[in-house]
Amino acid sequence: MCTGACAKCLGGTLIPLAVFGFLANILLFFPGGKVIDNNDHLSDEIWYFGGILGSGVLMIIPALLFLGLKNNDCCGCCGNESCGKRFAMFTSTIFAVIGFLGAGYSFVISAVSINKGPKCLNDNSTWGYPFNDGDYLNDQDLWSKCQEPADVVPWNLTLFSILLVIGGIQMVLCAIQVVNGLLGTLCGDCQCCGCCGGDGPV
């Protein structure tokens, strides 16, 4: 597969993942599917916008760039048949690194939140984090420590797990594009063979 076509495939995969990550983060603001009275009762990690910024905004821009690489002008540098495409692939590598960092940010925030558990109203009538080092993950009986918001434990656990998986997949795809972009920078793209009257591969 040509490097441009590979990048387009990766971009097409990253966009829906970014949308799902964005939506998952939005849903976290409504624990149990309900509007909360006091935003201070939301888990701190929700306000770090891992899904909105990390897996969302910082992923959409690289993904759109990847989608456009297949149609990039092979001869974009003063008639040089390789310069335009190679520069575009090099640029995609930089944006892939940005996307990797964004996905990594979302991944780390999600992992921390899953381990920490949600903020909720404890059985002593105070708001806080009743769980320690992910102990609630293997013992659902502990979930009863959270009295409000209703169903906040499975709600947060499910959505942050989705963000964790999305972030992991995005990191892998961006890492693939880093390698793909470097290959396109060094070796060119097979689509550019014979471009602008050139007889050989780029």
Side-chain angles (χ1 to χ4, degrees), residues 4-108:
C6 178
K8 183 177 182 179
C9 178
L10 293 174
T13 306
L14 286 170
I15 286 182
L17 288 174
V19 172
F20 288 139
F22 190 96
L23 292 177
N25 201 148
I26 292 295
L27 289 175
L28 284 168
F29 286 96
F30 305 96
K34 300 176 182 178
V35 178
I36 196 168
D37 295 331
N38 190 341
N39 288 335
D40 290 336
H41 295 162
L42 291 172
S43 298
D44 293 339
E45 291 74 23
I46 296 176
W47 295 102
Y48 297 158
F49 301 113
I52 295 176
L53 292 179
S55 290
V57 175
L58 290 178
M59 194 58 59
I60 286 291
I61 298 175
L64 292 176
L65 176 69
F66 300 162
L67 284 174
L69 284 175
K70 187 176 181 181
N71 301 321
N72 189 71
D73 181 13
C74 297
C75 317
C77 280
C78 302
N80 187 317
E81 65 183 66
S82 64
C83 177
K85 197 70 172 183
R86 289 174 189 265
F87 180 76
M89 293 305 296
F90 175 73
T91 303
S92 76
T93 302
I94 296 175
F95 277 90
V97 172
I98 294 174
F100 182 90
L101 294 175
Y105 173 75
S106 178
F107 184 90
V108 170

